[in-house]
Amino acid sequence: MFEEKKWTLKSIAEKLGVSNATVSNAFNRPDQLSEKRRKDILAACAELGYSGPNKAAQSLRKGKFDTVALVLSDSVEYMVSDPVASHFMKGVASVLAREKINLLLFSGSAEHVNSVVDFVDGFICYGRPRNPLLVEQLKQVRKKVVTVDFDIQRNASVGIDNQSAAHEIAQLAIQSSDDDVAIMGLRLLDHNAICYVEDLDSVVTEASVAHQRLKGYLSALSFKDVTLKKQRVWNIPESRSECASIAAKQALNATPRANVFLCMSDIIALTLMNEATKMGLKIPSDIRVVGFDGIDEGVRCNPPLATVHQFSEQKGIKAAQMFVDGANHEETLPYGIREGGSC
Amino acid sequence: MFEEKKWTLKSIAEKLGVSNATVSNAFNRPDQLSEKRRKDILAACAELGYSGPNKAAQSLRKGKFDTVALVLSDSVEYMVSDPVASHFMKGVASVLAREKINLLLFSGSAEHVNSVVDFVDGFICYGRPRNPLLVEQLKQVRKKVVTVDFDIQRNASVGIDNQSAAHEIAQLAIQSSDDDVAIMGLRLLDHNAICYVEDLDSVVTEASVAHQRLKGYLSALSFKDVTLKKQRVWNIPESRSECASIAAKQALNATPRANVFLCMSDIIALTLMNEATKMGLKIPSDIRVVGFDGIDEGVRCNPPLATVHQFSEQKGIKAAQMFVDGANHEETLPYGIREGGSC
DNA sequence: CTGTTAGCGCATTCAG
DNA sequence: CTGAATGCGCTAACAG
């Protein structure tokens, strides 16, 4: 099956009786030799089964790889089944395909970017990587970096105005100063515990997405003259049903129970609505719930979920476009407010 | 920000006053030099900001890349939002992460594997690539190849017994010899049209998944003494709601209408159920519908979808494990039959 | 245990 | 337009 010789530029040049530079030029620089000569060489190569210069060697030489690493905030395993991330990846993939750039998936839990940094032209980072060391490494990397939904004080970044968005959706959810509000936070704390956030002021001072959303919620609360009770802010480490349902159950079983739930992701919100329904609670008469992200399932469910719609695919397109353009600025994308059963 | 010199193995060796082989050994072959010497060198490198041998050069030299290309059946853009593919990818990602192998996503619509073949240790191919040329190329590639849900008469492959599964689910769906059965086929024909399959015998003789499932359905039909009417077999080119709903509407509007719909994917089945509901049809009294794949949404919907459950994540784990093990055989995975509202 | 040498496969000078 | 020479950054074999 593999009787064919394994050709290299050198061996094929020798076989054809020309110099290796000529063969190289035939493939890469048409202007450097006559049309006929080029066609002859290409034809002979095709005939012999040589399909062109080895890409790895070519890349080593040129320092260009036509590959970008998409650094996810969490493990690849988890991220591929996250609907928000999927839409983002879809957007990225669409422009990379057009530009004939390969896509390497990289885990935000990996130990070091070293394992890929020498194979890629740069990084698109979707969300702050779970491993903080990666962030430090990305700051140092001598290649293009586009960050999404977080910032490393360097290069390009894209995101939305999380604070305004959170403020708006919270405004919509809160109807009177008597409302008892709970905040189901996503990654508010640095560890993986599903727990109350005891000390709001100590929450990551860094301008993380969670922090920005929290600020937006809180400003809406004060705007509406609502006081946040003790033990009303939750930390959920991942936007997954498994995590969210634990927090949801506990939050729903608290006495007294909050009647407005501001959730930092749609997954959290849908999970909470699901748990509430199981407990016989009605939406919006018993509790009101708003999400964040704008995933499809929120539209199909009953009642539909009120949420901030992020246009994740557009975000991916934008990030990838900025990458190929070598952009070097911060981009703030629009968002939409989607009304639902709760408001 | 980048004041640091860009070190290479050579320059760092010179700086440290040792040979480059020694530095190389310090990083890769601890047994080749004294513990102390190694620690000193590694410490000095860390100090100077040299983070180890360039991976691209290392790979060129060793011919090993610690990267596998996951060839999807369709564009990356489309596949990341396909729930079945996502589960498969999840499985693959989990074992690759453990093995510290990078994952490169590759489109089944790409023109040539050349753009990545020199960067990877091999390929895992999920479904027959949309571009037939890729299949030919994969047959020739001098690297490991594991195929999933199709076969290229070479190397390793994993899949399920599609024919038996289709037969079983069809048996379940068909209740009497008076049933009027329609088959909503996925990629039965080579082109992209949504249409009837006029000539069943001419359908791809190759043992494609669609063909195997069709055979399973047909054997169940004859087992149940049911005759397939004219224009009862549809070709749907992609497992997407957009495509499926067109076929579904037409199939549901046919007079007389079939009362049993055998769908080659859950997406198709769910879409058809959705269209049927819009038309006021009741399941299972008016029509019965069965799917194939076993996606989560089929469990949550009302009534639940009867289907063949594929354990896609397990399939991904198996495929990746076979890749790392260098397996060279055909693996047939189990499947499950999930009952639902229709049967 | 250390250093020297010869490539991995290629692209780019620079003479001719 | 062509061909010889140099090196991208590294590792493996060998010699000391």
Side-chain angles (χ1 to χ4, degrees):
Chain A
M1 182 187 270
F2 299 134
E3 331 81 356
E4 298 168 17
K5 184 172 186 298
K6 197 188 163 204
W7 294 105
T8 69
L9 186 64
K10 199 170 165 186
S11 69
I12 205 96
E14 190 176 4
K15 171 82 178 178
L16 300 184
V18 298
S19 95
N20 43 16
T22 305
V23 179
S24 173
N25 285 332
F27 279 97
N28 306 315
R29 303 173 59 178
D31 52 307
Q32 296 295 300
L33 71 178
S34 68
E35 183 67 8
K36 175 172 175 356
R37 196 126 178 64
R38 194 175 78 94
K39 291 221 161 168
D40 287 350
I41 290 175
L42 260 33
C45 288
E47 178 74 22
L48 291 166
Y50 175 68
S51 52
N54 179 295
K55 300 290 180 187
Q58 199 168 20
S59 287
L60 177 61
R61 181 60 229 257
K62 297 213 234 191
K64 188 145 191 322
F65 298 84
D66 293 323
T67 300
V68 33
L70 177 54
V71 181
L72 300 166
S73 57
D74 216 313
S75 71
V76 177
E77 178 184 352
Y78 160 52
M79 293 302 281
V80 293
S81 39
D82 180 80
V84 191
S86 294
H87 273 100
F88 178 82
M89 288 171 55
K90 180 173 179 173
V92 170
S94 70
V95 355
L96 294 188
R98 179 156 44 75
E99 304 283 338
K100 303 207 187 267
I101 296 177
N102 295 121
L103 178 58
L104 186 62
L105 256 34
F106 195 74
S107 165
S109 309
E111 286 168 18
H112 217 286
V113 291
N114 268 2
S115 60
V116 292
V117 70
D118 296 325
F119 289 121
V120 302
D121 296 325
F123 299 84
I124 296 177
C125 309
Y126 181 63
R128 178 174 296 272
R130 171 167 291 277
N131 178 359
L133 293 177
L134 284 189
V135 179
E136 295 312 308
Q137 293 162 20
L138 287 167
K139 283 183 186 166
Q140 301 297 329
V141 152
R142 297 161 170 277
K143 303 212 170 182
K144 280 197 274 187
V145 177
V146 174
T147 59
V148 179
D149 288 346
F150 77 111
D151 192 24
I152 55 171
Q153 321 294 344
R154 157 198 201 302
N155 291 353
S157 76
V158 3
I160 67 166
D161 185 340
N162 282 282
Q163 187 171 340
S164 301
H167 181 93
E168 272 191 64
I169 193 75
Q171 284 269 33
L172 218 59
I174 300 168
Q175 297 183 348
S176 95
S177 61
D178 294 332
D179 277 337
D180 185 349
V181 176
I183 294 174
M184 308 305 285
L186 176 60
R187 287 226 236 166
L188 274 174
L189 301 178
D190 252 350
H191 52 73
N192 285 345
I194 298 171
C195 60
Y196 298 119
V197 178
E198 298 290 354
D199 180 10
L200 276 190
D201 301 325
S202 73
V203 160
V204 277
T205 55
E206 221 168 340
S208 74
V209 165
H211 186 64
Q212 290 170 34
R213 292 183 191 170
L214 182 61
K215 275 169 75 176
Y217 290 154
L218 295 179
S219 71
L221 282 169
S222 77
F223 193 85
K224 292 274 192 177
D225 264 333
V226 172
T227 316
L228 192 65
K229 294 195 185 162
K230 285 276 171 217
Q231 306 197 319
R232 280 291 190 251
V233 180
W234 283 82
N235 178 61
I236 299 172
E238 293 175 37
S239 184
R240 286 170 39 203
S241 278
E242 292 80 357
C243 294
S245 73
I246 296 169
K249 277 178 200 151
Q250 296 188 30
L252 288 167
N253 281 322
T255 11
R257 173 167 48 227
N259 73 322
V260 174
F261 291 84
L262 309 175
C263 305
M264 287 199 191
S265 84
D266 283 356
I267 296 283
I268 295 175
L270 290 169
T271 306
L272 188 132
M273 280 166 60
N274 199 9
E275 294 296 339
T277 306
K278 279 192 210 161
M279 293 169 57
L281 296 172
K282 298 293 176 201
I283 297 166
S285 52
D286 294 322
I287 64 169
R288 295 195 298 280
V289 183
V290 298
F292 207 112
D293 286 339
I295 67 176
D296 294 343
E297 196 174 341
V299 180
R300 288 196 292 262
C301 71
N302 194 352
L305 177 64
T307 192
V308 173
H309 186 54
Q310 288 225 50
F311 311 108
S312 294
E313 187 173 346
Q314 283 303 319
K315 209 191 257 181
I317 291 174
K318 192 70 190 180
Q321 196 60 56
M322 286 176 74
F323 185 92
V324 309
D325 293 347
N328 206 18
H329 62 278
E330 205 165 310
E331 189 95 20
T332 302
L333 262 33
Y335 57 85
I337 299 290
R338 194 153 73 195
E339 305 202 345
S342 295
C343 52
Chain B
M1 179 186 270
F2 300 133
E3 331 82 355
E4 298 168 17
K5 185 172 186 300
K6 197 190 164 204
W7 295 104
T8 68
L9 186 65
K10 199 170 165 187
S11 69
I12 205 98
E14 191 176 5
K15 171 82 178 179
L16 299 184
V18 298
S19 94
N20 43 16
T22 306
V23 180
S24 172
N25 285 333
F27 279 97
N28 306 315
R29 304 174 58 177
D31 53 307
Q32 296 296 301
L33 72 179
S34 68
E35 183 66 9
K36 175 171 178 353
R37 197 126 177 63
R38 194 175 76 93
K39 290 223 161 168
D40 287 350
I41 290 175
L42 259 33
C45 287
E47 179 74 21
L48 290 167
Y50 176 68
S51 51
N54 180 295
K55 300 288 180 188
Q58 199 168 21
S59 287
L60 176 62
R61 182 61 229 251
K62 298 212 235 190
K64 189 148 189 321
F65 298 85
D66 293 322
T67 300
V68 34
L70 177 54
V71 181
L72 301 166
S73 57
D74 215 312
S75 71
V76 177
E77 176 183 354
Y78 160 53
M79 293 302 282
V80 292
S81 39
D82 180 81
V84 191
S86 295
H87 273 100
F88 177 81
M89 288 172 54
K90 180 173 178 174
V92 170
S94 68
V95 354
L96 294 188
R98 178 158 44 74
E99 304 283 339
K100 303 208 187 265
I101 296 176
N102 294 121
L103 178 58
L104 186 63
L105 255 35
F106 195 73
S107 165
S109 309
E111 286 168 17
H112 217 286
V113 291
N114 269 2
S115 59
V116 293
V117 70
D118 297 326
F119 289 121
V120 302
D121 296 325
F123 300 84
I124 295 176
C125 309
Y126 180 63
R128 179 174 294 272
R130 171 167 291 276
N131 179 359
L133 293 177
L134 285 190
V135 179
E136 295 311 309
Q137 293 161 21
L138 288 166
K139 284 183 186 167
Q140 301 296 329
V141 152
R142 298 161 168 276
K143 303 210 169 182
K144 279 196 275 187
V145 177
V146 174
T147 59
V148 179
D149 288 346
F150 77 111
D151 192 24
I152 54 173
Q153 320 294 346
R154 157 199 202 298
N155 292 354
S157 76
V158 4
I160 66 167
D161 184 340
N162 281 282
Q163 186 171 341
S164 300
H167 181 93
E168 272 191 64
I169 193 76
Q171 284 269 34
L172 217 59
I174 301 169
Q175 298 183 345
S176 95
S177 61
D178 293 335
D179 277 336
D180 185 349
V181 175
I183 295 174
M184 308 306 284
L186 176 59
R187 288 225 236 166
L188 274 175
L189 301 178
D190 252 349
H191 53 72
N192 286 344
I194 299 169
C195 60
Y196 299 120
V197 179
E198 298 289 353
D199 180 11
L200 277 191
D201 302 325
S202 73
V203 160
V204 278
T205 56
E206 221 169 340
S208 74
V209 166
H211 186 64
Q212 290 170 36
R213 293 184 191 170
L214 182 60
K215 274 170 76 176
Y217 290 153
L218 295 179
S219 71
L221 283 169
S222 76
F223 193 87
K224 292 274 192 178
D225 264 333
V226 172
T227 316
L228 191 66
K229 293 196 185 161
K230 285 276 171 217
Q231 306 197 319
R232 280 292 191 250
V233 180
W234 283 83
N235 179 60
I236 299 172
E238 294 175 35
S239 184
R240 287 171 38 204
S241 278
E242 293 80 358
C243 293
S245 73
I246 296 170
K249 278 178 200 150
Q250 294 188 33
L252 289 166
N253 281 322
T255 7
R257 174 170 43 228
N259 73 321
V260 175
F261 292 84
L262 308 175
C263 305
M264 287 198 191
S265 84
D266 282 356
I267 296 283
I268 294 175
L270 289 169
T271 306
L272 188 132
M273 280 166 61
N274 198 9
E275 294 296 340
T277 306
K278 278 192 211 162
M279 293 168 58
L281 296 172
K282 299 293 176 201
I283 296 166
S285 54
D286 294 322
I287 63 169
R288 295 195 297 280
V289 183
V290 297
F292 207 111
D293 284 339
I295 67 176
D296 294 343
E297 196 174 341
V299 179
R300 288 194 294 262
C301 72
N302 193 352
L305 177 63
T307 192
V308 174
H309 186 53
Q310 287 226 47
F311 310 107
S312 294
E313 187 173 345
Q314 283 303 320
K315 208 192 257 181
I317 291 174
K318 190 70 190 180
Q321 197 57 58
M322 286 177 74
F323 185 93
V324 310
D325 293 345
N328 205 17
H329 62 279
E330 205 165 308
E331 188 96 20
T332 302
L333 262 34
Y335 57 86
I337 298 291
R338 193 153 73 196
E339 305 202 345
S342 294
C343 51

